[in-house]
Amino acid sequence: MGGLLDEYMPEIAMFGLQFSFAGATLITRAALVQGMSPRVFVVYRQAIATLIVAPLAYFSRRKSAGTCICLKSFSLIFLASLIGVTINQNIFFEGVYLVSSSMASAMGNLVPAITFIMAAIMGIEKINIRSLRSIAKIVGTVLCVTGAISMALLRGTKLLNTSILGGENWLVGCLFLFGSACCWSFWLILQVPVTSSYPDHLSLSAWMCFLATIQSAVATIFLERDLNQWKLHSYLELICCLFAGIVSSGLSFFLQAWCISQRGPLFTAMFNPLGTVIVTVCAAMFLHEEIYMGSLIGAVGVIIGLYVVLWSKAKDVVRNEEDKDPKLKTDQMHISNILIDESMEEGKCRADLQEPLLPDKSNYVGENNLHQSHI
């Protein structure tokens, strides 16, 4: 039983992680509706995450040699923190407040498609129209973008619940969420030069949380003139900040890093639509959020497009591994030859059973040649 549990531990971890993300999104939505400032929430969330990650990074650097930070590394980390955390989270939670938690979760599935577009524009991702993988990426991207547009514009018939706060700002909130997805996609691309310049991942996370805390605090001081917004007025707001900082920004880093080391990055990405389903169902049940036909159809389109893009990326990974290690192709050819030899042996045996008393010199010669080829 223990061996079976260990085998499926990455799947269990990702299921739990998606439920924790869904819980954080729902709690945050409830706190924002009650009056908590999205910008203040981002500051508290990143500050708590810094307090969690920084000590771990410090003690890990003491045990290892560590990586020295230079001006180039600091500049890249500062830029990644500004785009991927400060701007991204501020406009994301503003969108959550204006629209809904289910819409925010669904829009997050646009990230792989937007990342593909950005990488193609920058020349990082190669496109070959004659390749099935490239066609799949393009089709999946079109499905994702079309689904997102449908969710934002084609609301259609209302399926569940009545109007909620912020319904009149639906389009503005969708634009915020789309901008957040673009920021996150650009942050993913930035990870290539950032990690090559500063390969200590745990220390890198601590630096990003710390810099994002300072950046968000400075922005909030200028944008939030009411000092009362900095106060936590309820236990819900306190629980929201602690849960988001510890679980969404602290624990999730270790779980995702471990799952990626066990199953690869595509494995973790495949669970994103599960979070969308969990958030949509729970938001309709507990927060009484609206569900529209257009939003539902658009979400399905986004999820289908996401899986098409992930399928093509999985094929790319297999192809790259074969290109890096030609032995994989040789082994596959060797296995194919063995199967062919076995089928030939089976056919020859059937022929021998049919005519067991008629020896054939050519078969005898063929057996010697086949034996020599195996040797």
Side-chain angles (χ1 to χ4, degrees), residues 82-317:
L82 180 64
I83 295 175
V85 183
T86 303
I87 299 177
N88 172 36
Q89 290 195 4
N90 273 277
I91 62 178
F92 174 80
F93 289 111
E94 191 69 34
V96 171
Y97 171 71
L98 293 175
V99 186
S100 65
S101 54
S102 56
M103 175 67 76
S105 180
M107 281 288 190
N109 293 317
L110 281 173
V111 171
I114 297 175
T115 305
F116 166 67
I117 295 174
M118 290 184 176
I121 293 175
M122 296 179 182
I124 301 174
E125 189 78 33
K126 304 300 180 181
I127 300 178
N128 183 8
I129 302 300
R130 298 180 179 179
S131 172
L132 180 60
R133 299 190 306 276
S134 294
I135 295 175
K137 292 175 187 175
I138 296 173
V139 172
T141 301
V142 171
L143 284 174
C144 284
V145 175
T146 304
I149 294 174
S150 299
M151 293 172 66
L153 301 179
L154 305 178
R155 300 177 70 177
T157 305
K158 187 182 297 184
L159 300 178
L160 285 176
N161 297 325
T162 57
S163 297
I164 57 172
L165 180 64
E168 66 277 3
N169 296 318
W170 185 272
L171 182 59
V172 177
C174 288
L175 291 176
F176 275 126
L177 294 175
F178 181 77
S180 172
C182 292
C183 289
W184 187 250
S185 298
F186 190 61
W187 180 86
L188 291 175
I189 295 176
L190 273 177
Q191 293 309 295
V192 176
V194 170
T195 54
S196 63
S197 177
Y198 195 78
D200 189 342
H201 299 291
L202 189 58
S203 179
L204 174 62
S205 299
W207 272 109
M208 290 184 64
C209 291
F210 174 70
L211 292 174
T213 303
I214 297 176
Q215 294 166 353
S216 301
V218 172
T220 304
I221 290 173
F222 284 99
L223 296 176
E224 274 308 342
R225 298 305 178 93
D226 187 6
L227 296 180
N228 290 325
Q229 291 291 339
W230 290 87
K231 297 180 181 179
L232 299 179
H233 299 91
S234 65
Y235 286 109
L236 177 63
E237 296 180 359
L238 177 61
I239 293 173
C240 175
C241 294
L242 291 174
F243 189 84
I246 296 173
V247 177
S248 298
S249 297
L251 181 62
S252 65
F253 168 77
F254 298 102
L255 285 179
Q256 289 188 91
W258 180 75
C259 289
I260 289 173
S261 66
Q262 296 293 316
R263 295 286 193 272
L266 288 173
F267 171 82
T268 59
M270 293 291 285
F271 283 84
N272 288 344
L274 175 63
T276 301
V277 175
I278 296 171
V279 170
T280 302
V281 174
C282 294
M285 292 175 58
F286 301 111
L287 300 181
H288 304 289
E289 290 186 355
E290 298 169 319
I291 297 180
Y292 290 90
M293 179 62 72
S295 300
L296 185 62
I297 295 175
V300 172
V302 169
I303 292 174
I304 293 175
L306 169 67
Y307 277 117
V308 172
V309 174
L310 291 177
W311 174 85
S312 60
K313 291 300 293 180
K315 295 297 182 182
D316 281 347
V317 171

